[in-house]
Amino acid sequence: MKKYIIVAIAVLCLASCGEKKFHVEGSITNAKDSVLYFENIGINDINVVDSVKLDADGEFAFKGLPVGAPEFYRLRISDQIINVAVDSTETITVRAQYPQMASAYEIEGSDNCLKMKELALKQQDLLQRVISVNEDESLTVRQTNDSLRSMITRYKNDIKNQYIFKEPNKAYAYFALFQTIGNLLLFSPNTNKEDIKVYAAVATSWDTYYPGSERGQNLHNIALEGMKNQRIQEAADAKATIAAERVQTTGLIDIQLNDNKGRLRTLTGLSGKVVLLDFHLFASEASPARILLLRELYNKYHARGLEIYQVSLDEDEHFWKQQTASLPWINVREPAGPQSVIVGIYNVQTLPEYFLIDRGNNIVGRSQTIADLEQAIKNLL
């Protein structure tokens, strides 16, 4: 009896050992006693696959089974991250030094991983340039906003042409779709028509090369949802015929909506403060630059009496709550989105759109009539 048990175990062992696996190995020096995590980046969450406590030489080796389509993992120590993509049974070698591992590392064995490194470094460079422009006190608010928008547009065009459209079936093209500034997507498929095309291109290519894959299907769902939102937006634009003179330059039409914590917030309840009423769509490509601009104004002038009352027109409530969780000003959401009565009354034709309200609850200007928003705020304070 024992003989048969031993034979069975041996057969199972041989079968297991015969399975082809991928390997991610290498070394991260200057990180003795640090824990290196090997994590799977899923569609909805990130899970730890394995980990190791590094010794003085920093050597590590992880392995796993391929899933038939590109899959994404990351090496992480604290907040330092190296992204890798696994295509089949390749061996990927990573060499780095802590704590600069996220920006200064060498990687071999995968063209996808080399391209992902290029994308990661480009993204880090963009973030630094965005911060630099945002902190340049010689620029007006309008100049800052225009500069950030132009910078992000140029970056997106480069990524689309050189990485996504070039080889949309590759893992690095998929990776490029989900680049962010902070926690905001650079490619916003919810409302931006051009960004929807980018997602659709990768989705179609993945259907061909990896039919039935979970990630390919997810891309399809994202693109289809974006197309639906675009049709809703276009229908709302067609109905937006209320003349601009319907919104007076003095007086205030109240807005009463629940904030991201479920509390009812009224616009007229802010009497005594200078209020920036901001109509916003977090799913738009203009959102990241807009949020950076509002943070600068809020940090400078909130203590002196400035409040921001931001009205989101995003359809996805969960997405809106995620995007606003760390924002310090008042965030409310209009469930009816661009087709709401409030949007019509305030004659909001494009997003973002803002109105400036003085301490007496009077509208004193809007984006089209204010040349320098920061100076206008200072004048009212």
Side-chain angles (χ1 to χ4, degrees), residues 129-159:
R129 288 187 287 124
V130 165
I131 292 172
S132 178
V133 169
N134 197 50
E135 292 179 347
D136 188 346
E137 296 184 357
S138 68
L139 299 176
T140 65
V141 171
R142 185 178 291 273
Q143 288 172 332
T144 298
N145 195 28
D146 290 345
S147 180
L148 291 174
R149 186 172 301 174
S150 176
M151 184 186 302
I152 291 173
T153 298
R154 288 196 303 272
Y155 180 86
K156 288 175 63 177
N157 287 335
D158 174 54
I159 299 303

Side-chain angles (χ1 to χ4, degrees), residues 95-194:
R95 305 285 181 191
Q97 183 178 30
Y98 190 75
Q100 296 85 25
M101 60 181 275
S103 57
Y105 65 92
E106 297 178 0
I107 192 162
E108 299 175 351
S110 167
D111 289 338
N112 274 307
C113 289
L114 286 171
K115 291 290 187 181
M116 287 167 59
K117 177 185 176 182
E118 291 178 16
L119 287 163
L121 294 179
K122 281 178 175 285
Q123 182 183 13
Q124 292 169 26
D125 176 67
L126 173 65
L127 178 58
Q128 291 305 311
R129 288 187 287 124
V130 165
I131 292 172
S132 178
V133 169
N134 197 50
E135 292 179 347
D136 188 346
E137 296 184 357
S138 68
L139 299 176
T140 65
V141 171
R142 185 178 291 273
Q143 288 172 332
T144 298
N145 195 28
D146 290 345
S147 180
L148 291 174
R149 186 172 301 174
S150 176
M151 184 186 302
I152 291 173
T153 298
R154 288 196 303 272
Y155 180 86
K156 288 175 63 177
N157 287 335
D158 174 54
I159 299 303
K160 282 192 294 187
N161 295 326
Q162 298 303 318
Y163 294 89
I164 298 176
F165 289 150
K166 200 168 186 178
E167 292 184 296
N169 62 303
K170 297 294 187 180
Y172 71 81
Y174 182 102
F175 177 78
L177 289 177
F178 297 96
Q179 286 198 306
T180 62
I181 288 288
N183 62 345
L184 300 174
L185 284 170
L186 285 169
F187 292 98
S188 174
N190 287 323
T191 56
N192 185 283
K193 186 179 293 186
E194 295 305 312

Side-chain angles (χ1 to χ4, degrees), residues 2-64:
K2 289 182 179 179
K3 177 180 178 181
Y4 291 112
I5 293 174
I6 292 171
V7 170
I9 292 173
V11 170
L12 288 172
C13 180
L14 287 171
S16 175
C17 293
E19 288 184 298
K20 293 184 178 181
K21 298 181 179 181
F22 67 83
H23 295 80
V24 179
E25 58 190 32
S27 65
I28 298 177
T29 59
N30 200 34
K32 186 176 183 295
D33 294 331
S34 297
V35 177
L36 174 65
Y37 293 95
F38 184 55
E39 299 173 324
N40 174 238
I41 306 173
I43 292 175
N44 298 312
D45 51 21
I46 297 173
N47 296 303
V48 176
V49 177
D50 202 351
S51 64
V52 62
K53 187 175 182 180
L54 299 175
D55 55 21
D57 61 15
E59 297 289 332
F60 65 89
F62 301 116
K63 60 185 177 181

